[in-house]
C-alpha cells in the first residue's frame, strides 16, 4: 500500500515536471516562429568536452541592448562527435551578423533557431504517460 502510494506520488511529480518542461518548450518553439526578426552579432562560440555548442549573441530592440545564449527552445545543442559540434559551431562566427527572433512582449527572450525541437517532444512523450501512471497508482486504478 505505502509502496504503491510512494511510487504513484513519485511518478506523478516527475511526470508532471517533465511534461510541463516539454509542453512549455513546444509552445515557446511554436511562438518563436512568429516573433519579429532583428539583426544581432555573435559574441562567443564554444564547444565543451561533452560536444555541447554554446553560442552567445547580442541584439538591440528599441535602443535596449540584450545578451542571450539561447539558440533554440529545448536545451543545448549537443552532438555525438566533436566533428558534428565543430561543423555546427562554424555556422556562427564571432563578430558575425545573425538573425535573432525576439519576443515582442518580452524582448529579453530570444532565439536563433525558431520552431520545434526534439527534446521537448521527447519530454512530452515520456512525461505524460508517467504522469498518468502516477495518477493511476495514487487513485488505485487497475492498469
Amino acid at each position: 500500500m505505502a509502496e504503491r502510494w510512494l511510487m504513484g506520488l513519485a511518478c506523478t511529480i516527475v511526470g508532471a515536471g517533465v511534461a510541463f518542461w516539454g509542453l512549455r518548450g513546444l509552445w515557446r518553439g511554436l511562438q518563436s516562429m512568429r516573433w519579429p526578426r532583428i539583426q544581432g552579432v555573435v559574441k562567443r562560440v564554444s564547444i565543451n568536452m561533452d560536444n555541447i555548442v554554446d553560442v552567445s549573441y547580442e541584439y538591440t530592440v528599441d535602443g535596449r541592448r540584450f545578451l542571450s545564449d539561447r539558440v533554440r527552445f529545448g536545451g543545448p545543442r549537443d552532438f555525438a562527435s566533436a566533428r558534428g559540434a565543430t561543423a555546427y559551431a562554424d555556422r556562427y562566427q564571432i563578430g558575425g551578423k545573425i538573425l535573432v527572433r525576439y519576443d515582442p512582449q518580452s524582448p529579453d527572450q530570444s532565439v536563433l533557431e525558431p520552431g520545434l525541437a526534439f527534446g521537448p517532444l521527447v519530454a512530452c512523450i515520456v512525461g505524460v504517460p508517467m504522469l498518468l501512471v502516477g495518477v493511476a497508482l495514487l487513485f488505485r486504478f487497475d492498469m
Side-chain angles (χ1 to χ4, degrees), residues 15-31 73 116 119-125 127-128 131:
V18 171
F20 175 78
W21 181 86
L23 289 170
R24 186 171 191 277
L26 291 175
W27 177 249
R28 297 291 283 170
L30 286 171
Q31 284 182 321
F73 289 102
L116 299 176
L121 181 61
V122 171
C124 289
I125 291 170
V128 170
L131 172 62

Side-chain angles (χ1 to χ4, degrees), residues 42 44-45 47 53 55 71-72 77 79 83-99 112-114:
V42 176
R44 184 175 51 82
V45 180
I47 304 170
V53 178
V55 179
V71 174
R72 65 185 174 121
R77 293 293 304 185
F79 294 85
R83 180 184 299 176
T86 301
Y88 179 79
D90 286 345
R91 295 172 43 187
Y92 300 102
Q93 299 297 316
I94 295 174
K97 297 192 184 318
I98 51 169
L99 279 181
L112 297 180
E113 298 175 5

Side-chain angles (χ1 to χ4, degrees), residues 1-132:
M1 167 78 175
E3 294 88 13
R4 182 179 186 160
W5 187 85
L6 284 174
M7 181 63 79
L9 183 63
C11 285
T12 300
I13 291 170
V14 172
V18 171
F20 175 78
W21 181 86
L23 289 170
R24 186 171 191 277
L26 291 175
W27 177 249
R28 297 291 283 170
L30 286 171
Q31 284 182 321
S32 70
M33 294 172 69
R34 293 188 299 266
W35 289 350
R37 296 179 201 127
I38 197 163
Q39 192 172 51
V41 177
V42 176
K43 299 307 251 180
R44 184 175 51 82
V45 180
S46 63
I47 304 170
N48 73 11
M49 297 296 287
D50 295 323
N51 297 320
I52 295 175
V53 178
D54 183 39
V55 179
S56 294
Y57 54 94
E58 184 179 78
Y59 60 102
T60 303
V61 177
D62 295 330
R64 293 176 51 205
R65 185 176 296 172
F66 298 97
L67 184 66
S68 181
D69 62 357
R70 180 180 291 120
V71 174
R72 65 185 174 121
F73 289 102
R77 293 293 304 185
D78 56 336
F79 294 85
S81 70
R83 180 184 299 176
T86 301
Y88 179 79
D90 286 345
R91 295 172 43 187
Y92 300 102
Q93 299 297 316
I94 295 174
K97 297 192 184 318
I98 51 169
L99 279 181
V100 177
R101 298 258 188 157
Y102 69 93
D103 183 346
Q105 305 299 319
S106 183
D108 62 318
Q109 297 295 309
S110 64
V111 67
L112 297 180
E113 298 175 5
L116 299 176
F118 187 67
L121 181 61
V122 171
C124 289
I125 291 170
V126 171
V128 170
M130 183 180 279
L131 172 62
L132 295 175

